[in-house]
Amino acid sequence: MKKLIIIFFALASVIACKNNSESETGQKSILEIGCYAYKNDGDEIKMEITEINDKITGNLDVFYAEKDANEGKFVGTLHGDKLIGVYTFNSEGITSSREMAFLVQDNQLIEG
């Protein structure tokens, strides 16, 4: 029962923050403003896309099993079906950044 409740709230939060969007140029994007989440084997990645223009921006939280959690900002661009950008985050009081890439497939972001 507890797992069912957790799954329900996880799905509700993803559905609640999804909105169809167009870029400021009026073109339909393969991405939508809203939340994308991944959870498996203790790893969890959550991206909330907040803006779709020439750049894709959003909040990105990364929780890898047995490592420190990272929360920060993602700024990137779409290259066909690939979202490539820079993730800037704070971990243990230090600001860091790293390049990240995601494949956009079936309304999902798959980290590459």
Side-chain angles (χ1 to χ4, degrees), residues 84-111:
I84 300 171
V86 175
Y87 172 46
T88 305
F89 59 95
N90 287 315
S91 182
E92 297 182 355
I94 298 171
T95 300
S96 302
S97 63
R98 68 180 179 111
E99 188 172 69
M100 292 187 78
F102 297 90
L103 176 64
V104 183
Q105 185 176 46
D106 300 326
N107 203 29
Q108 297 179 29
L109 292 176
I110 302 167
E111 184 182 10

Side-chain angles (χ1 to χ4, degrees), residues 51-90:
E51 190 174 324
I52 299 175
N53 293 307
D54 291 338
K55 300 270 185 197
I56 309 295
T57 59
N59 302 312
L60 182 59
D61 301 332
V62 179
F63 307 97
Y64 292 125
E66 301 183 28
K67 294 193 177 192
D68 291 330
N70 301 314
E71 298 176 353
K73 301 284 184 188
F74 179 87
V75 178
T77 54
L78 273 173
H79 302 273
D81 62 353
K82 293 166 191 69
L83 176 60
I84 300 171
V86 175
Y87 172 46
T88 305
F89 59 95
N90 287 315

Side-chain angles (χ1 to χ4, degrees), residues 4-20:
L4 183 60
I5 292 171
I6 291 171
I7 291 170
F8 171 77
F9 283 111
L11 287 174
S13 67
V14 170
I15 292 168
C17 62
K18 285 269 189 184
N19 294 314
N20 288 334

Side-chain angles (χ1 to χ4, degrees), residues 31-58:
L31 287 173
E32 299 175 355
I33 290 177
C35 298
Y36 295 82
Y38 167 83
K39 185 184 264 190
N40 190 31
D41 293 331
D43 295 338
E44 184 175 346
I45 299 172
K46 179 182 175 192
M47 180 184 289
E48 180 183 5
I49 294 178
T50 56
E51 190 174 324
I52 299 175
N53 293 307
D54 291 338
K55 300 270 185 197
I56 309 295
T57 59

